[in-house]
Amino acid sequence: MKKIVIIGAGGHSKVVQDIVEAMGEYRLMAILDDQYEVLKRKGNVYFGPILSYRSLFIHFECKVIIAIGRNDLRLKIVNELNLDVMDYGTVIHPTAIVGKNVSIGKGTVIMPNVVLNAGARVGNHVIVNTSSVIEHDTHLDDFIHIAPSATLTGAVKVGTGTLIGAGSTVIPSITIGEWCKVGAGSTVIKDIPNASTAVGSPARIIK
């Protein structure tokens, strides 16, 4: 069984740990977070600061997943670790529905009851959270977080680092730029430019 190292020890990490267990594909090797001062083993799992992954990689062949909800922090840690993209695992809950010709990047987490329909493309280090729907031909760039129960209808494009809030809906063929925030429960009916915050139904740009 392949070994996996989870970076992050907060609430999102707990969910990722549950998904890893449900998959049955990986054995949890370590949980790394800077709240820990030194690398220690408890039972079959190591706990330690983030950079202690170097010690583990000397002795074990592992995959890494960054289980931190904030998009900017995931990017920061990826840059600090400077690992090859193939060193990252991909975590998909068994209840997720993945259609034909769907591509899912490395370091990405697909949570319970997600739907990824035909032709969807999901980048690296993306979180598609519980019960979200990513419809056909939608393209998600890297370091995106799709919050629970969001619906992205057909052929939506979302740029790097963007957060789509819980329960939001994006109508077909919309483009949302990089490092945007879409508020919870919003309905996006117009394109959103880079680095914008949009809220409401219909969504309007407030920042």
Side-chain angles (χ1 to χ4, degrees):
M1 185 178 291
K2 293 181 286 187
K3 301 177 179 66
I4 195 163
V5 173
I6 294 177
I7 294 177
H12 182 60
S13 174
K14 294 176 182 178
V15 179
V16 174
Q17 292 170 49
D18 285 348
I19 297 172
V20 167
E21 182 177 348
M23 288 174 67
E25 180 180 338
Y26 295 111
R27 180 173 76 81
L28 180 59
M29 185 72 192
I31 298 173
L32 304 182
D33 191 287
D34 286 343
Q35 67 176 280
Y36 306 118
E37 295 183 357
V38 296
L39 184 65
K40 293 184 178 180
R41 185 172 178 175
K42 298 179 182 179
N44 293 322
V45 179
Y46 289 90
F47 295 83
I50 292 173
L51 291 182
S52 61
Y53 84 92
R54 295 169 178 166
S55 301
L56 295 173
F57 270 45
I58 292 172
H59 301 288
F60 305 103
E61 184 175 343
C62 307
K63 296 294 184 181
V64 176
I65 199 85
I66 300 175
I68 295 174
R70 277 182 52 181
N71 299 338
D72 58 338
L73 287 183
R74 289 201 308 286
L75 174 60
K76 180 176 182 288
I77 291 170
V78 166
N79 289 337
E80 289 174 350
L81 296 180
N82 196 30
L83 297 172
D84 187 271
V85 69
M86 297 307 294
D87 288 326
Y88 290 96
T90 301
V91 175
I92 303 173
H93 194 277
T95 61
I97 298 172
V98 180
K100 293 183 178 180
N101 301 316
V102 171
S103 64
I104 301 173
K106 296 295 184 181
T108 287
V109 177
I110 307 297
M111 293 203 173
N113 301 312
V114 164
V115 177
L116 295 170
N117 272 332
R121 292 185 292 161
V122 181
N124 298 322
H125 305 288
V126 172
I127 300 167
V128 183
N129 222 313
T130 307
S131 299
S132 291
V133 177
I134 309 300
E135 268 295 351
H136 66 88
D137 303 307
T138 289
H139 183 192
L140 306 181
D141 285 341
D142 300 339
F143 299 101
I144 287 169
H145 188 163
I146 307 297
S149 298
T151 300
L152 279 61
T153 56
V156 170
K157 295 181 179 179
V158 182
T160 298
T162 285
L163 168 66
I164 305 294
S168 297
T169 300
V170 184
I171 69 167
S173 302
I174 290 293
T175 296
I176 299 174
E178 299 180 353
W179 298 101
C180 293
K181 295 180 181 178
V182 174
S186 298
T187 303
V188 181
I189 63 172
K190 295 181 179 180
D191 291 352
I192 298 176
N194 292 344
S196 298
T197 298
V199 299
S201 183
R204 60 186 180 87
I205 295 171
I206 62 169
K207 184 178 179 182

PDB file of all heavy atoms in Angstrom, residues 71-103:
ATOM      1  N   ASN A  71      -6.206  28.851   0.017  1.00  0.00           N
ATOM      2  CA  ASN A  71      -5.512  28.679  -1.257  1.00  0.00           C
ATOM      3  C   ASN A  71      -4.105  29.283  -1.239  1.00  0.00           C
ATOM      4  O   ASN A  71      -3.159  28.697  -1.768  1.00  0.00           O
ATOM      5  CB  ASN A  71      -6.324  29.316  -2.384  1.00  0.00           C
ATOM      6  CG  ASN A  71      -7.685  28.678  -2.533  1.00  0.00           C
ATOM      7  OD1 ASN A  71      -7.906  27.547  -2.115  1.00  0.00           O
ATOM      8  ND2 ASN A  71      -8.614  29.403  -3.132  1.00  0.00           N
ATOM      9  N   ASP A  72      -3.965  30.474  -0.640  1.00  0.00           N
ATOM     10  CA  ASP A  72      -2.660  31.131  -0.629  1.00  0.00           C
ATOM     11  C   ASP A  72      -1.651  30.354   0.217  1.00  0.00           C
ATOM     12  O   ASP A  72      -0.457  30.283  -0.127  1.00  0.00           O
ATOM     13  CB  ASP A  72      -2.774  32.570  -0.158  1.00  0.00           C
ATOM     14  CG  ASP A  72      -3.386  32.710   1.236  1.00  0.00           C
ATOM     15  OD1 ASP A  72      -4.100  31.777   1.686  1.00  0.00           O
ATOM     16  OD2 ASP A  72      -3.159  33.755   1.880  1.00  0.00           O
ATOM     17  N   LEU A  73      -2.115  29.736   1.301  1.00  0.00           N
ATOM     18  CA  LEU A  73      -1.200  28.954   2.131  1.00  0.00           C
ATOM     19  C   LEU A  73      -0.769  27.664   1.432  1.00  0.00           C
ATOM     20  O   LEU A  73       0.389  27.246   1.563  1.00  0.00           O
ATOM     21  CB  LEU A  73      -1.845  28.630   3.476  1.00  0.00           C
ATOM     22  CG  LEU A  73      -1.974  29.797   4.452  1.00  0.00           C
ATOM     23  CD1 LEU A  73      -2.561  29.320   5.775  1.00  0.00           C
ATOM     24  CD2 LEU A  73      -0.629  30.479   4.680  1.00  0.00           C
ATOM     25  N   ARG A  74      -1.676  27.032   0.688  1.00  0.00           N
ATOM     26  CA  ARG A  74      -1.278  25.838  -0.068  1.00  0.00           C
ATOM     27  C   ARG A  74      -0.200  26.204  -1.089  1.00  0.00           C
ATOM     28  O   ARG A  74       0.794  25.488  -1.243  1.00  0.00           O
ATOM     29  CB  ARG A  74      -2.473  25.189  -0.778  1.00  0.00           C
ATOM     30  CG  ARG A  74      -3.425  24.505   0.167  1.00  0.00           C
ATOM     31  CD  ARG A  74      -4.305  23.455  -0.501  1.00  0.00           C
ATOM     32  NE  ARG A  74      -5.007  23.939  -1.667  1.00  0.00           N
ATOM     33  CZ  ARG A  74      -6.051  24.755  -1.645  1.00  0.00           C
ATOM     34  NH1 ARG A  74      -6.512  25.217  -0.491  1.00  0.00           N
ATOM     35  NH2 ARG A  74      -6.665  25.132  -2.754  1.00  0.00           N
ATOM     36  N   LEU A  75      -0.389  27.329  -1.781  1.00  0.00           N
ATOM     37  CA  LEU A  75       0.613  27.777  -2.751  1.00  0.00           C
ATOM     38  C   LEU A  75       1.944  28.062  -2.058  1.00  0.00           C
ATOM     39  O   LEU A  75       3.011  27.663  -2.550  1.00  0.00           O
ATOM     40  CB  LEU A  75       0.116  29.025  -3.477  1.00  0.00           C
ATOM     41  CG  LEU A  75       1.109  29.701  -4.417  1.00  0.00           C
ATOM     42  CD1 LEU A  75       1.551  28.758  -5.525  1.00  0.00           C
ATOM     43  CD2 LEU A  75       0.502  30.973  -5.003  1.00  0.00           C
ATOM     44  N   LYS A  76       1.907  28.739  -0.922  1.00  0.00           N
ATOM     45  CA  LYS A  76       3.123  29.070  -0.186  1.00  0.00           C
ATOM     46  C   LYS A  76       3.881  27.798   0.209  1.00  0.00           C
ATOM     47  O   LYS A  76       5.108  27.717   0.043  1.00  0.00           O
ATOM     48  CB  LYS A  76       2.770  29.888   1.053  1.00  0.00           C
ATOM     49  CG  LYS A  76       3.950  30.304   1.921  1.00  0.00           C
ATOM     50  CD  LYS A  76       3.468  31.207   3.060  1.00  0.00           C
ATOM     51  CE  LYS A  76       4.633  31.680   3.925  1.00  0.00           C
ATOM     52  NZ  LYS A  76       5.181  30.596   4.760  1.00  0.00           N
ATOM     53  N   ILE A  77       3.162  26.805   0.696  1.00  0.00           N
ATOM     54  CA  ILE A  77       3.817  25.571   1.131  1.00  0.00           C
ATOM     55  C   ILE A  77       4.373  24.797  -0.055  1.00  0.00           C
ATOM     56  O   ILE A  77       5.479  24.247   0.007  1.00  0.00           O
ATOM     57  CB  ILE A  77       2.839  24.720   1.954  1.00  0.00           C
ATOM     58  CG1 ILE A  77       2.552  25.420   3.290  1.00  0.00           C
ATOM     59  CG2 ILE A  77       3.401  23.317   2.212  1.00  0.00           C
ATOM     60  CD1 ILE A  77       1.425  24.806   4.075  1.00  0.00           C
ATOM     61  N   VAL A  78       3.638  24.759  -1.145  1.00  0.00           N
ATOM     62  CA  VAL A  78       4.154  24.098  -2.357  1.00  0.00           C
ATOM     63  C   VAL A  78       5.472  24.740  -2.780  1.00  0.00           C
ATOM     64  O   VAL A  78       6.438  24.044  -3.118  1.00  0.00           O
ATOM     65  CB  VAL A  78       3.116  24.158  -3.497  1.00  0.00           C
ATOM     66  CG1 VAL A  78       3.755  23.804  -4.837  1.00  0.00           C
ATOM     67  CG2 VAL A  78       1.969  23.195  -3.216  1.00  0.00           C
ATOM     68  N   ASN A  79       5.524  26.054  -2.752  1.00  0.00           N
ATOM     69  CA  ASN A  79       6.759  26.744  -3.140  1.00  0.00           C
ATOM     70  C   ASN A  79       7.894  26.448  -2.170  1.00  0.00           C
ATOM     71  O   ASN A  79       9.054  26.288  -2.585  1.00  0.00           O
ATOM     72  CB  ASN A  79       6.510  28.245  -3.231  1.00  0.00           C
ATOM     73  CG  ASN A  79       5.649  28.627  -4.430  1.00  0.00           C
ATOM     74  OD1 ASN A  79       5.582  27.892  -5.417  1.00  0.00           O
ATOM     75  ND2 ASN A  79       4.989  29.763  -4.348  1.00  0.00           N
ATOM     76  N   GLU A  80       7.587  26.372  -0.886  1.00  0.00           N
ATOM     77  CA  GLU A  80       8.614  26.089   0.114  1.00  0.00           C
ATOM     78  C   GLU A  80       9.138  24.660   0.011  1.00  0.00           C
ATOM     79  O   GLU A  80      10.341  24.412   0.154  1.00  0.00           O
ATOM     80  CB  GLU A  80       8.065  26.344   1.512  1.00  0.00           C
ATOM     81  CG  GLU A  80       7.857  27.827   1.824  1.00  0.00           C
ATOM     82  CD  GLU A  80       7.188  28.046   3.162  1.00  0.00           C
ATOM     83  OE1 GLU A  80       6.719  27.049   3.773  1.00  0.00           O
ATOM     84  OE2 GLU A  80       7.124  29.214   3.607  1.00  0.00           O
ATOM     85  N   LEU A  81       8.237  23.717  -0.238  1.00  0.00           N
ATOM     86  CA  LEU A  81       8.661  22.320  -0.328  1.00  0.00           C
ATOM     87  C   LEU A  81       9.477  22.056  -1.585  1.00  0.00           C
ATOM     88  O   LEU A  81      10.389  21.224  -1.588  1.00  0.00           O
ATOM     89  CB  LEU A  81       7.437  21.392  -0.309  1.00  0.00           C
ATOM     90  CG  LEU A  81       6.596  21.391   0.961  1.00  0.00           C
ATOM     91  CD1 LEU A  81       5.425  20.419   0.808  1.00  0.00           C
ATOM     92  CD2 LEU A  81       7.413  21.036   2.184  1.00  0.00           C
ATOM     93  N   ASN A  82       9.103  22.723  -2.678  1.00  0.00           N
ATOM     94  CA  ASN A  82       9.835  22.588  -3.944  1.00  0.00           C
ATOM     95  C   ASN A  82       9.947  21.127  -4.389  1.00  0.00           C
ATOM     96  O   ASN A  82      10.993  20.674  -4.862  1.00  0.00           O
ATOM     97  CB  ASN A  82      11.228  23.212  -3.831  1.00  0.00           C
ATOM     98  CG  ASN A  82      11.862  23.452  -5.199  1.00  0.00           C
ATOM     99  OD1 ASN A  82      11.164  23.690  -6.189  1.00  0.00           O
ATOM    100  ND2 ASN A  82      13.173  23.369  -5.262  1.00  0.00           N
ATOM    101  N   LEU A  83       8.856  20.391  -4.245  1.00  0.00           N
ATOM    102  CA  LEU A  83       8.817  19.001  -4.673  1.00  0.00           C
ATOM    103  C   LEU A  83       8.425  18.915  -6.137  1.00  0.00           C
ATOM    104  O   LEU A  83       7.820  19.829  -6.703  1.00  0.00           O
ATOM    105  CB  LEU A  83       7.792  18.222  -3.845  1.00  0.00           C
ATOM    106  CG  LEU A  83       8.048  18.108  -2.344  1.00  0.00           C
ATOM    107  CD1 LEU A  83       6.839  17.468  -1.660  1.00  0.00           C
ATOM    108  CD2 LEU A  83       9.305  17.295  -2.066  1.00  0.00           C
ATOM    109  N   ASP A  84       8.738  17.780  -6.757  1.00  0.00           N
ATOM    110  CA  ASP A  84       8.230  17.498  -8.097  1.00  0.00           C
ATOM    111  C   ASP A  84       6.722  17.280  -8.006  1.00  0.00           C
ATOM    112  O   ASP A  84       6.220  16.733  -7.018  1.00  0.00           O
ATOM    113  CB  ASP A  84       8.909  16.251  -8.660  1.00  0.00           C
ATOM    114  CG  ASP A  84       8.530  16.016 -10.115  1.00  0.00           C
ATOM    115  OD1 ASP A  84       7.516  15.333 -10.364  1.00  0.00           O
ATOM    116  OD2 ASP A  84       9.245  16.520 -10.999  1.00  0.00           O
ATOM    117  N   VAL A  85       5.994  17.707  -9.021  1.00  0.00           N
ATOM    118  CA  VAL A  85       4.536  17.558  -8.990  1.00  0.00           C
ATOM    119  C   VAL A  85       4.113  16.101  -8.807  1.00  0.00           C
ATOM    120  O   VAL A  85       3.080  15.807  -8.191  1.00  0.00           O
ATOM    121  CB  VAL A  85       3.908  18.171 -10.264  1.00  0.00           C
ATOM    122  CG1 VAL A  85       4.268  17.347 -11.504  1.00  0.00           C
ATOM    123  CG2 VAL A  85       2.399  18.291 -10.123  1.00  0.00           C
ATOM    124  N   MET A  86       4.939  15.167  -9.266  1.00  0.00           N
ATOM    125  CA  MET A  86       4.596  13.752  -9.151  1.00  0.00           C
ATOM    126  C   MET A  86       4.775  13.229  -7.727  1.00  0.00           C
ATOM    127  O   MET A  86       4.375  12.098  -7.430  1.00  0.00           O
ATOM    128  CB  MET A  86       5.441  12.930 -10.128  1.00  0.00           C
ATOM    129  CG  MET A  86       5.202  13.271 -11.588  1.00  0.00           C
ATOM    130  SD  MET A  86       3.447  13.208 -12.069  1.00  0.00           S
ATOM    131  CE  MET A  86       3.123  11.456 -11.873  1.00  0.00           C
ATOM    132  N   ASP A  87       5.360  14.033  -6.840  1.00  0.00           N
ATOM    133  CA  ASP A  87       5.470  13.631  -5.433  1.00  0.00           C
ATOM    134  C   ASP A  87       4.155  13.816  -4.684  1.00  0.00           C
ATOM    135  O   ASP A  87       4.027  13.358  -3.544  1.00  0.00           O
ATOM    136  CB  ASP A  87       6.574  14.425  -4.732  1.00  0.00           C
ATOM    137  CG  ASP A  87       7.967  14.005  -5.162  1.00  0.00           C
ATOM    138  OD1 ASP A  87       8.161  12.808  -5.444  1.00  0.00           O
ATOM    139  OD2 ASP A  87       8.858  14.872  -5.228  1.00  0.00           O
ATOM    140  N   TYR A  88       3.207  14.480  -5.299  1.00  0.00           N
ATOM    141  CA  TYR A  88       1.922  14.723  -4.644  1.00  0.00           C
ATOM    142  C   TYR A  88       0.911  13.639  -5.022  1.00  0.00           C
ATOM    143  O   TYR A  88       0.883  13.162  -6.156  1.00  0.00           O
ATOM    144  CB  TYR A  88       1.378  16.097  -5.025  1.00  0.00           C
ATOM    145  CG  TYR A  88       2.165  17.224  -4.420  1.00  0.00           C
ATOM    146  CD1 TYR A  88       3.176  17.864  -5.125  1.00  0.00           C
ATOM    147  CD2 TYR A  88       1.921  17.632  -3.120  1.00  0.00           C
ATOM    148  CE1 TYR A  88       3.916  18.891  -4.567  1.00  0.00           C
ATOM    149  CE2 TYR A  88       2.662  18.664  -2.545  1.00  0.00           C
ATOM    150  CZ  TYR A  88       3.654  19.280  -3.269  1.00  0.00           C
ATOM    151  OH  TYR A  88       4.395  20.286  -2.702  1.00  0.00           O
ATOM    152  N   GLY A  89       0.095  13.274  -4.060  1.00  0.00           N
ATOM    153  CA  GLY A  89      -0.979  12.321  -4.317  1.00  0.00           C
ATOM    154  C   GLY A  89      -2.245  13.036  -4.759  1.00  0.00           C
ATOM    155  O   GLY A  89      -2.334  14.269  -4.743  1.00  0.00           O
ATOM    156  N   THR A  90      -3.235  12.248  -5.155  1.00  0.00           N
ATOM    157  CA  THR A  90      -4.570  12.750  -5.465  1.00  0.00           C
ATOM    158  C   THR A  90      -5.557  11.952  -4.629  1.00  0.00           C
ATOM    159  O   THR A  90      -5.508  10.723  -4.623  1.00  0.00           O
ATOM    160  CB  THR A  90      -4.890  12.593  -6.966  1.00  0.00           C
ATOM    161  OG1 THR A  90      -3.910  13.321  -7.725  1.00  0.00           O
ATOM    162  CG2 THR A  90      -6.274  13.117  -7.295  1.00  0.00           C
ATOM    163  N   VAL A  91      -6.433  12.648  -3.910  1.00  0.00           N
ATOM    164  CA  VAL A  91      -7.320  12.006  -2.952  1.00  0.00           C
ATOM    165  C   VAL A  91      -8.763  12.198  -3.408  1.00  0.00           C
ATOM    166  O   VAL A  91      -9.225  13.335  -3.536  1.00  0.00           O
ATOM    167  CB  VAL A  91      -7.105  12.588  -1.546  1.00  0.00           C
ATOM    168  CG1 VAL A  91      -8.104  12.008  -0.554  1.00  0.00           C
ATOM    169  CG2 VAL A  91      -5.676  12.325  -1.069  1.00  0.00           C
ATOM    170  N   ILE A  92      -9.456  11.086  -3.653  1.00  0.00           N
ATOM    171  CA  ILE A  92     -10.829  11.135  -4.175  1.00  0.00           C
ATOM    172  C   ILE A  92     -11.698  10.221  -3.319  1.00  0.00           C
ATOM    173  O   ILE A  92     -11.451   9.013  -3.223  1.00  0.00           O
ATOM    174  CB  ILE A  92     -10.887  10.669  -5.644  1.00  0.00           C
ATOM    175  CG1 ILE A  92      -9.954  11.516  -6.507  1.00  0.00           C
ATOM    176  CG2 ILE A  92     -12.327  10.727  -6.167  1.00  0.00           C
ATOM    177  CD1 ILE A  92      -9.821  11.012  -7.943  1.00  0.00           C
ATOM    178  N   HIS A  93     -12.725  10.787  -2.690  1.00  0.00           N
ATOM    179  CA  HIS A  93     -13.608   9.967  -1.858  1.00  0.00           C
ATOM    180  C   HIS A  93     -14.366   8.958  -2.712  1.00  0.00           C
ATOM    181  O   HIS A  93     -14.781   9.274  -3.837  1.00  0.00           O
ATOM    182  CB  HIS A  93     -14.598  10.858  -1.100  1.00  0.00           C
ATOM    183  CG  HIS A  93     -15.294  10.143   0.011  1.00  0.00           C
ATOM    184  ND1 HIS A  93     -16.412   9.365  -0.193  1.00  0.00           N
ATOM    185  CD2 HIS A  93     -15.004  10.058   1.343  1.00  0.00           C
ATOM    186  CE1 HIS A  93     -16.801   8.849   0.962  1.00  0.00           C
ATOM    187  NE2 HIS A  93     -15.957   9.251   1.914  1.00  0.00           N
ATOM    188  N   PRO A  94     -14.571   7.744  -2.212  1.00  0.00           N
ATOM    189  CA  PRO A  94     -15.255   6.708  -3.009  1.00  0.00           C
ATOM    190  C   PRO A  94     -16.664   7.074  -3.445  1.00  0.00           C
ATOM    191  O   PRO A  94     -17.170   6.512  -4.435  1.00  0.00           O
ATOM    192  CB  PRO A  94     -15.272   5.492  -2.067  1.00  0.00           C
ATOM    193  CG  PRO A  94     -14.151   5.715  -1.116  1.00  0.00           C
ATOM    194  CD  PRO A  94     -14.046   7.199  -0.939  1.00  0.00           C
ATOM    195  N   THR A  95     -17.329   8.007  -2.736  1.00  0.00           N
ATOM    196  CA  THR A  95     -18.691   8.379  -3.136  1.00  0.00           C
ATOM    197  C   THR A  95     -18.725   9.423  -4.244  1.00  0.00           C
ATOM    198  O   THR A  95     -19.807   9.736  -4.758  1.00  0.00           O
ATOM    199  CB  THR A  95     -19.487   8.920  -1.934  1.00  0.00           C
ATOM    200  OG1 THR A  95     -18.830  10.094  -1.430  1.00  0.00           O
ATOM    201  CG2 THR A  95     -19.605   7.868  -0.837  1.00  0.00           C
ATOM    202  N   ALA A  96     -17.592   9.986  -4.594  1.00  0.00           N
ATOM    203  CA  ALA A  96     -17.559  10.973  -5.680  1.00  0.00           C
ATOM    204  C   ALA A  96     -17.875  10.298  -7.013  1.00  0.00           C
ATOM    205  O   ALA A  96     -17.480   9.158  -7.258  1.00  0.00           O
ATOM    206  CB  ALA A  96     -16.200  11.648  -5.744  1.00  0.00           C
ATOM    207  N   ILE A  97     -18.579  11.019  -7.872  1.00  0.00           N
ATOM    208  CA  ILE A  97     -18.905  10.534  -9.215  1.00  0.00           C
ATOM    209  C   ILE A  97     -18.013  11.261 -10.206  1.00  0.00           C
ATOM    210  O   ILE A  97     -18.062  12.497 -10.307  1.00  0.00           O
ATOM    211  CB  ILE A  97     -20.389  10.772  -9.541  1.00  0.00           C
ATOM    212  CG1 ILE A  97     -21.279   9.995  -8.565  1.00  0.00           C
ATOM    213  CG2 ILE A  97     -20.692  10.374 -10.989  1.00  0.00           C
ATOM    214  CD1 ILE A  97     -22.754  10.329  -8.697  1.00  0.00           C
ATOM    215  N   VAL A  98     -17.200  10.509 -10.924  1.00  0.00           N
ATOM    216  CA  VAL A  98     -16.258  11.079 -11.879  1.00  0.00           C
ATOM    217  C   VAL A  98     -16.620  10.578 -13.271  1.00  0.00           C
ATOM    218  O   VAL A  98     -16.573   9.374 -13.542  1.00  0.00           O
ATOM    219  CB  VAL A  98     -14.805  10.704 -11.528  1.00  0.00           C
ATOM    220  CG1 VAL A  98     -13.839  11.306 -12.538  1.00  0.00           C
ATOM    221  CG2 VAL A  98     -14.464  11.172 -10.106  1.00  0.00           C
ATOM    222  N   GLY A  99     -17.001  11.495 -14.152  1.00  0.00           N
ATOM    223  CA  GLY A  99     -17.447  11.124 -15.480  1.00  0.00           C
ATOM    224  C   GLY A  99     -16.299  10.808 -16.429  1.00  0.00           C
ATOM    225  O   GLY A  99     -15.127  10.789 -16.056  1.00  0.00           O
ATOM    226  N   LYS A 100     -16.682  10.556 -17.687  1.00  0.00           N
ATOM    227  CA  LYS A 100     -15.697  10.227 -18.712  1.00  0.00           C
ATOM    228  C   LYS A 100     -14.864  11.448 -19.091  1.00  0.00           C
ATOM    229  O   LYS A 100     -15.339  12.574 -19.078  1.00  0.00           O
ATOM    230  CB  LYS A 100     -16.406   9.677 -19.960  1.00  0.00           C
ATOM    231  CG  LYS A 100     -17.073   8.331 -19.750  1.00  0.00           C
ATOM    232  CD  LYS A 100     -17.697   7.826 -21.041  1.00  0.00           C
ATOM    233  CE  LYS A 100     -18.332   6.452 -20.844  1.00  0.00           C
ATOM    234  NZ  LYS A 100     -18.948   5.955 -22.097  1.00  0.00           N
ATOM    235  N   ASN A 101     -13.612  11.174 -19.421  1.00  0.00           N
ATOM    236  CA  ASN A 101     -12.686  12.207 -19.898  1.00  0.00           C
ATOM    237  C   ASN A 101     -12.526  13.357 -18.907  1.00  0.00           C
ATOM    238  O   ASN A 101     -12.345  14.515 -19.295  1.00  0.00           O
ATOM    239  CB  ASN A 101     -13.152  12.749 -21.253  1.00  0.00           C
ATOM    240  CG  ASN A 101     -13.231  11.666 -22.306  1.00  0.00           C
ATOM    241  OD1 ASN A 101     -12.341  10.829 -22.425  1.00  0.00           O
ATOM    242  ND2 ASN A 101     -14.318  11.658 -23.063  1.00  0.00           N
ATOM    243  N   VAL A 102     -12.592  13.025 -17.621  1.00  0.00           N
ATOM    244  CA  VAL A 102     -12.325  14.008 -16.573  1.00  0.00           C
ATOM    245  C   VAL A 102     -10.853  13.898 -16.181  1.00  0.00           C
ATOM    246  O   VAL A 102     -10.343  12.796 -15.980  1.00  0.00           O
ATOM    247  CB  VAL A 102     -13.224  13.767 -15.350  1.00  0.00           C
ATOM    248  CG1 VAL A 102     -12.792  14.638 -14.170  1.00  0.00           C
ATOM    249  CG2 VAL A 102     -14.684  14.036 -15.697  1.00  0.00           C
ATOM    250  N   SER A 103     -10.165  15.016 -16.061  1.00  0.00           N
ATOM    251  CA  SER A 103      -8.780  15.003 -15.603  1.00  0.00           C
ATOM    252  C   SER A 103      -8.694  15.694 -14.243  1.00  0.00           C
ATOM    253  O   SER A 103      -9.325  16.735 -14.027  1.00  0.00           O
ATOM    254  CB  SER A 103      -7.857  15.694 -16.609  1.00  0.00           C
ATOM    255  OG  SER A 103      -8.183  17.061 -16.737  1.00  0.00           O
TER     256      SER A 103
END
